[in-house]
Structure formats: C-alpha cells, structure tokens
Amino acid sequence: MTEVTETLELKLVEPNAHKHRKLSETKMAHQQALEAAFGAECTTQSAANDVVVNYNLSGYAKNALKKYVPQLCGGSYDSKELHDDHPVRFTNEGVRLDHKPQNAIGWYVKIPHHDDYHLWLPAQPNPEQRAWLEALHAGDAKMGECRLFDRGGEWYLHVVATRDVEERSTSSSASETPIGVDIGEASLVTVCHRDECGSPTTPNLWNDEGKQVRQLRETYFTATRRLQKRGSERIAESYGDSLWRQIDDILHTVTSEVVAYAAQFENPVLVLEDLTHIRENIDYGSFMNRRLHGWGFAKMYAQLRYKAAEMGIRVETVNPAYTSKSCHCCGERGTRPAQATFRCTNPECWVREYQADVNAALNIADRYLNGESHLREHTGDDDSVGDGGPFDRPARLPSRC
Ligand SMILES: [Zn+2]
C-alpha cells in the first residue's frame, strides 16, 4: 500500500450576505492573530497559544495557527510577506463534508466560524476529484488540514486528503482481463468479460439492487412531494436525506462487490463507458429522473475509481456509442424487443436473443480489447441513431484458441 495525497478544491457557491460577512470576519480575525503571534516571535506552540487565544476564532483555526506560527518564526520568513493573503487554516476536525445528491448543488462543507458557531455552505467540487470526494465521504480517505481563502471575491476551500492505493504490479507478462462494466436501470451494474478463447464468461448482474434503488427513488419522489404539499419542508428534507443515504449504501455495496469480482481475475482492467460522452438511451419520464440517473452514474463511477485504485486495479473508459444496440458477436445493430433483451437481426449470426446488459458489457470490454480506449473523437452522439460508424467490428479474438 502507498499513501497518496491530494489537495481538493471546493468553490463555495454564492454565500449570502450573512455568510459572506461571517467568512470575512473569520479571515480578518485570523490575519490579525497571525500577525500578532508572528510579531511576538512565538517559536513554540504554547507561546502562540497565549497570543491567538484572545481572538474570536474557532479552536480549529487557533490550533492550526499554533502549529503554523512557530514554523514561520523558526524559518527565514520575511515579515513583509505576512501582509499577503494568508488562507485561514483549520485542523481537520473542524471541517465536515456532506453530500445531498437530491439537491441542485450536491456537496456541502461545514466551516468553523468561532467557538460555538459554524456555517454550512454548498460547494462545487472539481469534477476531476469526484473519486476523492466519494472516498472522503465514505471514510475511505482521511481529511487533513483545510484552508479557506478568497480569490477575486469568491471563496474557496482547500482540503488536504490522503488515501491508500495498491501499487500496480509491474509484471505485465500476464495478459489483461478487460471486464466490461455496464451501468443501467434494470440491473444496476452488469459485468462480463471474455475467457482466453474469446467466449463470454462469468457474467454478473446486480438486478435486486437495481430494483431497490428504483423503489427508493420512487418513494422519495412521491413522499417528499406529498410532504412539501402539506408544507412540511423540514420533514421532507430529513426524510429525503435518509432515503438517499439508503441508496448510497446500496451503491457502495455494489461498487465494492464489482471491484472484488474484478480482483479474482488475472491482471483485471475495469472498462467503463466514457461518462462525458454518455447520452441517455433509456426513456425517462422527467427531467428530474434523468438528472438523478446521471447522479447515479457519476457516483458509481467515482466509487469504482477509488475502490479499484485501492486494490491496484486499472480503470479505463471507452466511447459509449451503440454499446447497447450492437451485437457483441457479429457487430450488427440489433433491436431491443424488451428492456432486458437484445435481438440480433443478422441471419448469419448465431446470436438470436441475448441478455441486453451482458451484451452491452461485452461490447464495452471489446472496445478496450480493440484498442479504442483512447479514441476520443466521437462520431455519433446518440445511441439511437443507426448511421453506421466505426464500432461495428466484433471483438478481436485472441489467437490461442
Ligand atoms: Zn450478431
């Protein structure tokens, strides 16, 4: 295991006037305490404590200052630089991260103000750091020091995070096992790969979990709508939170199982559809459902990424166009007579009907096998348009069989 560290950036979303003032107060008190402690040449934590204790700051900011000031005073720090903007530092216990995927801005951070007062603010993370946020939220990454600062009138929080990852084995003599991962509705996740002869093997579907998530989501919509109609906004919110926690638990269970499934094979590679290219290909009733479905994708992707890294398993993405509409055997565009059924219309092909999610998972794995993992250009935005394209080739089968 190796410990990796990253600084996560969260932009605090439009604090209202009250919160903006509180953040500014914290920043000012921090700057004053820092300058005073530096001016008093505090070279020890207890000397710094005697100075910073007098300022209206949270214990988390004071504790961070106690550690920081002796480092400054011990070094060759130019006091003039003190007037530059210094971020407000907090020890990790003071900051909390929460996720409410049902809200337009799903992430929230708790920022200490002074001893018995803190602020919760919605925060926009860097999308590239989603896996880190999921790991932090699940307690699979550790939070370190946090730093609050403003830049051009906007507030940001930097969170130092660490987690363990398995170093990838460098012996590449073993051939890879690309495992196609299809994330869907009926089956929440479907995985499948090809054996050394190229035959589809050991498919696994998480059908029950797909059903549970659908039911919880429906309960959420009907119950919160009813509660909101009756004016019980607060009950609706807390009830919604508990339902989403149950969904998150299911997603965590499933993503852990997917990674454990992959780990049993030789040199596994998890192959996912490139999220930035995903267009909905299932008909959803409402915009809301669509957005929440997107949320499920993003959340599961982030969880799969960090859990795979923990076990040293690679994750690759491929172009998603037509993965659910092409035959994994002959490459022909087929039909979907039912949600769970793929039908190949090529009379020469032995495939008549096939489990649709397994067919899609195989196509995803085959894209990687065919070396398309780095193909970024995109020829068809929509999975429903049959205009041909470069993805009609069946898998390049290994020559051993
Ligand atoms: Zn076929």
Side-chain angles (χ1 to χ4, degrees):
M1 280 285 182
T2 319
E3 194 177 70
V4 289
T5 297
E6 184 148 323
T7 301
L8 314 185
E9 181 167 280
L10 294 128
K11 183 184 168 204
L12 308 184
V13 181
E14 295 164 16
N16 61 26
H18 167 75
K19 288 183 179 176
H20 181 76
R21 194 169 61 244
K22 295 291 169 202
L23 292 171
S24 303
E25 283 169 14
T26 294
K27 184 189 162 185
M28 200 172 304
H30 177 268
Q31 182 72 18
Q32 288 164 354
L34 174 66
E35 286 178 21
F38 187 75
E41 290 177 38
C42 300
T43 51
T44 64
Q45 292 208 13
S46 68
N49 182 57
D50 292 342
V51 176
V52 304
V53 75
N54 301 309
Y55 289 84
N56 198 11
L57 283 168
S58 68
Y60 311 110
K62 287 176 189 164
N63 285 339
L65 270 175
K66 280 187 254 174
K67 283 188 204 149
Y68 183 55
V69 172
Q71 291 169 21
L72 281 183
C73 291
S76 55
Y77 198 82
D78 183 351
S79 64
K80 273 179 285 188
E81 290 175 41
L82 264 194
H83 296 291
D84 298 346
D85 272 353
H86 276 257
V88 182
R89 291 156 194 271
F90 301 103
T91 54
N92 59 352
E93 304 91 348
V95 174
R96 286 279 170 278
L97 184 71
D98 198 11
H99 193 207
K100 291 176 190 280
Q102 68 269 37
N103 294 352
I105 292 167
W107 292 94
Y108 291 80
V109 286
K110 183 178 115 176
I111 296 183
H113 178 41
H114 50 68
D115 267 341
D116 37 335
Y117 190 81
H118 60 256
L119 304 162
W120 274 103
L121 290 147
Q124 196 81 61
N126 175 348
E128 308 264 302
Q129 295 178 325
R130 275 299 300 255
W132 276 95
L133 285 170
E134 284 293 330
L136 262 187
H137 190 237
D140 289 330
K142 285 195 294 279
M143 195 186 275
E145 193 182 67
C146 301
R147 299 188 282 263
L148 170 75
F149 60 96
D150 61 339
R151 190 195 286 155
E154 285 173 334
W155 292 92
Y156 290 86
L157 187 73
H158 277 181
V159 176
V160 177
T162 51
R163 63 187 166 118
D164 289 328
V165 299
E166 192 68 54
E167 271 178 286
R168 224 166 267 161
S169 158
T170 45
S171 66
S172 55
S173 54
S175 61
E176 288 179 331
T177 309
I179 296 159
V181 181
D182 181 63
I183 295 180
E185 274 284 279
S187 168
L188 193 57
V189 181
T190 303
V191 289
C192 196
H193 68 280
R194 292 181 185 269
D195 64 17
E196 64 272 17
C197 299
S199 306
T201 184
T202 50
N204 206 2
L205 292 88
W206 280 263
N207 272 317
D208 292 346
E209 291 82 356
K211 195 174 167 192
Q212 287 163 20
V213 167
R214 276 200 310 282
Q215 283 172 349
L216 284 165
R217 220 164 52 185
E218 278 163 28
T219 308
Y220 169 78
F221 284 121
T222 49
T224 53
R225 216 173 288 137
R226 206 166 48 227
L227 286 164
Q228 279 161 356
K229 256 187 212 155
R230 291 189 350 215
S232 314
E233 295 287 340
R234 194 167 294 177
I235 300 173
E237 198 187 322
S238 71
Y239 187 57
D241 285 353
S242 92
L243 288 173
W244 287 108
R245 261 196 301 278
Q246 290 176 55
I247 293 178
D248 197 27
D249 285 348
I250 295 170
L251 300 190
H252 270 294
T253 304
V254 171
T255 51
S256 293
E257 286 173 3
V258 169
V259 172
Y261 167 94
Q264 67 184 309
F265 303 109
E266 200 178 16
N267 209 356
V269 181
L270 282 175
V271 188
L272 309 176
E273 292 178 296
D274 188 342
L275 197 56
T276 57
H277 282 155
I278 291 228
R279 293 291 187 277
E280 301 295 339
N281 55 11
I282 308 164
D283 188 35
Y284 287 102
S286 70
F287 167 76
M288 195 60 167
N289 248 350
R290 197 179 290 255
R291 191 167 67 73
L292 290 167
H293 184 63
W295 162 80
F297 267 100
K299 216 163 161 56
M300 277 192 276
Y301 271 45
Q303 290 176 5
L304 285 170
R305 280 185 184 282
Y306 90 76
K307 289 176 187 185
E310 275 179 351
M311 299 187 74
I313 295 173
R314 247 180 333 127
V315 174
E316 297 284 349
T317 57
V318 294
N319 193 320
Y322 310 108
T323 48
S324 63
K325 298 245 165 75
S326 309
C327 174
H328 71 273
C329 183
C330 69
E332 180 109 342
R333 257 348 110 58
T335 58
R336 296 278 290 272
Q339 179 65 34
T341 309
F342 171 84
R343 183 179 290 158
C344 183
T345 45
N346 176 4
E348 313 272 293
C349 179
W350 69 265
V351 170
R352 305 292 288 276
E353 287 193 344
Y354 211 83
Q355 210 292 332
D357 299 315
V358 176
N359 180 63
L362 284 164
N363 282 328
I364 293 165
D366 290 348
R367 293 262 160 99
Y368 175 79
L369 269 177
N370 285 331
E372 289 173 16
S373 62
H374 304 295
L375 184 72
R376 283 297 175 146
E377 73 262 39
H378 194 39
T379 52
D381 271 348
D382 193 329
D383 211 5
S384 63
V385 184
D387 63 348
F391 303 119
D392 291 318
R393 277 171 288 150
R396 183 197 64 210
L397 299 183
S399 53
R400 271 172 282 167
C401 302

